[in-house]
Amino acid sequence: MAEEKKNKMCIICSKGTLDMAYPPFMLATAAAGMGWEVHLFFTLWGINLIKKGGAEALKITPVGKPEMPMPMPNILAIIPGMTPMATSMMKGQIKKSGIATIPELLKLTKEMGGHFHACEPSMAMFKLKREDLIAEVEDIIGVAGFLELAADANITLFV
Amino acid sequence: MSEITAALSLECRGMHCPLPVVQMKIGLSRINVGEILEIIATDPATEKDIPPAARALSAEIVKQEKVSKIWVSKTGEKYNIEYRYYIRRLK
């Protein structure tokens, strides 16, 4: 009997901050956990997530974020030290509430067979080489390569 | 009435989405076809996450229950309800 076709999800990861790293990695981990084929395409600031040491060093800034639990006027948010403070508060909350960290989700996605692809023009723009990326990254592909992957995906998202 | 005997029990209390689903996948790979995996969780989203994920992983929910039970995590988060799932690996 023919093997049943697996569900497939492709996500374009274009953001490189601690908060915006969550949606793609949460979805990717859950989908891979359900046995889906998962492809993450890291482009623009998203490259930050797959640079060596990048996932561990993600930050969040309070600038222009009126939705934060402790909103502060932008004029104060730009003061040096505010970004590290917001970052450590968010990390503390993540730890306390038992939510997985980004490095953990990244590792789990990969362990369960997820595929990581780096965007070629973004690599060129940020002057990055293959060795600047974590080993989990499978290849460096262009937009055509991604479209080929996404053409028969059940779900394709842009984050 | 026969009791359900789980080949493996996974403690997922205090874990949030998507970790219980990940644990289920790992757990199912550790038991044999026909055996049952027990998952104990506190995440209310598992009620909607575990059944479709189990189906996607070729497993079936044999029994599912929700009991009032207080549990406090190491970091002091308090949970009032415990969710228990008994999942049989089908292939």
Side-chain angles (χ1 to χ4, degrees):
Chain A
M1 204 177 84
E3 183 80 3
E4 213 177 305
K5 193 192 170 291
K6 274 204 271 181
N7 278 329
K8 181 175 180 183
M9 177 170 72
C10 294
I11 307 180
I12 301 173
C13 310
S14 73
K15 309 252 188 338
T17 52
L18 181 59
D19 49 345
M20 291 310 288
Y22 269 92
F25 276 119
M26 283 282 194
L27 287 160
T29 316
M34 289 168 74
W36 289 27
E37 182 181 336
V38 177
H39 294 271
L40 298 186
F41 180 60
F42 297 89
T43 184
L44 266 173
W45 310 118
I47 288 278
N48 199 28
L49 308 174
I50 49 164
K51 275 198 302 204
K52 280 181 184 157
E56 291 77 14
L58 298 175
K59 293 183 179 69
I60 178 170
T61 174
V63 179
K65 287 221 171 49
E67 68 273 43
M68 284 191 108
M70 282 166 59
M72 60 172 77
N74 283 333
I75 192 78
L76 294 180
I78 60 166
I79 294 172
M82 287 303 180
T83 292
M85 191 185 85
T87 302
S88 90
M89 277 171 64
M90 185 167 171
K91 284 190 169 173
Q93 200 54 43
I94 288 165
K95 195 171 174 195
K96 186 170 179 288
S97 54
I99 291 167
T101 64
I102 293 299
E104 281 165 0
L105 292 174
L106 189 152
K107 196 164 159 270
L108 284 170
T109 305
K110 193 66 195 181
E111 277 174 9
M112 292 185 300
H115 305 276
F116 296 168
H117 312 277
C119 163
E120 193 280 325
S122 302
M123 298 279 292
M125 187 159 84
F126 298 125
K127 301 210 180 329
L128 293 170
K129 290 197 264 317
R130 177 65 188 90
E131 54 268 33
D132 299 320
L133 304 179
I134 54 174
E136 286 85 345
V137 177
E138 215 166 280
D139 51 13
I140 298 169
I141 63 174
V143 172
F146 175 75
L147 291 175
E148 176 70 21
L149 285 170
D152 65 343
N154 306 73
I155 296 175
T156 302
L157 300 168
F158 176 87
V159 178
Chain B
M1 210 182 87
S2 65
E3 275 291 300
I4 295 172
T5 315
L8 178 66
S9 177
L10 292 179
E11 160 74 274
C12 297
R13 288 182 295 186
M15 285 182 190
H16 292 275
C17 162
L19 297 181
V21 168
V22 171
Q23 289 299 320
M24 176 169 67
K25 182 172 196 248
I26 296 168
L28 286 171
S29 71
R30 288 193 188 148
I31 62 172
N32 297 315
V33 173
E35 286 183 337
I36 288 173
L37 169 71
E38 177 187 48
I39 289 183
I40 301 169
T42 46
D43 171 10
T46 53
E47 281 196 297
K48 291 278 197 275
D49 282 356
I50 293 283
R55 276 197 301 276
L57 293 167
S58 303
E60 67 169 356
I61 308 274
V62 179
K63 189 180 167 195
Q64 172 173 352
E65 53 187 19
K66 185 174 168 178
V67 294
S68 284
K69 194 173 171 186
I70 291 170
W71 183 81
V72 181
S73 75
K74 277 187 220 155
T75 54
E77 301 285 295
K78 190 178 161 191
Y79 299 89
N80 299 317
I81 299 173
E82 191 172 284
Y83 301 85
R84 297 185 196 134
Y85 302 89
Y86 298 88
I87 305 148
R88 178 181 283 120
R89 181 174 166 183
L90 295 178
K91 62 180 187 182

